[in-house]
Amino acid sequence: MNLKTKTRLEAQKAAAEKKLAARLAAFEGGGLDAAAIGRAAGVRQAKAAVRKAAHRLAAIAAQEERLAERARAKAEKALSPKSPDAAAPAGAPAEPPPKKQKKAKKEQ
């Protein structure tokens, strides 16, 4: 993915974490217990936004890793020798075995 998408998701995650922290602080200041805080819609939505952004950022990181692996493999392939002997495996025959001829049909 492009850099703009990654930075936008990082900003969204930071904003959701900030919102979550503010909601938790407000509920704890109000004297609510942990179970009631966990059931609050604002807290659940903020946690979901954080999870969503983290999941998307993980997908971007995995995609970047795959692209780096492909680039590394392409560079290794470009550096490898291009002789025909190196391309063929050692145990493979040079020519394929001859095909069997089909039997002629009997005339009736």
Side-chain angles (χ1 to χ4, degrees):
M1 295 218 155
N2 58 15
L3 186 59
K4 286 183 180 182
T5 304
K6 187 174 180 179
T7 55
R8 179 180 49 84
L9 283 172
E10 288 171 347
Q12 285 177 352
K13 183 179 177 186
E17 288 173 343
K18 185 177 177 183
K19 185 176 181 180
L20 177 63
R23 295 297 270 172
L24 289 175
F27 284 131
E28 288 172 356
L32 291 176
D33 60 340
I37 292 173
R39 287 190 307 263
V43 172
R44 288 194 326 245
Q45 289 174 352
K47 283 183 179 180
V50 170
R51 280 193 311 269
K52 188 177 180 182
H55 185 269
R56 288 181 176 175
L57 285 171
I60 290 173
Q63 184 180 20
E64 288 174 347
E65 184 178 331
R66 284 191 304 268
L67 287 173
E69 179 63 31
R70 269 196 243 147
R72 191 171 26 260
K74 188 174 182 179
E76 288 176 7
K77 185 176 179 181
L79 293 177
S80 68
K82 296 184 180 181
S83 67
D85 296 335
E95 295 181 19
K99 295 184 179 180
K100 294 182 180 179
Q101 294 180 356
K102 294 182 181 180
K103 293 182 181 179
K105 292 185 181 181
K106 291 184 180 180
E107 293 183 25
Q108 294 180 0

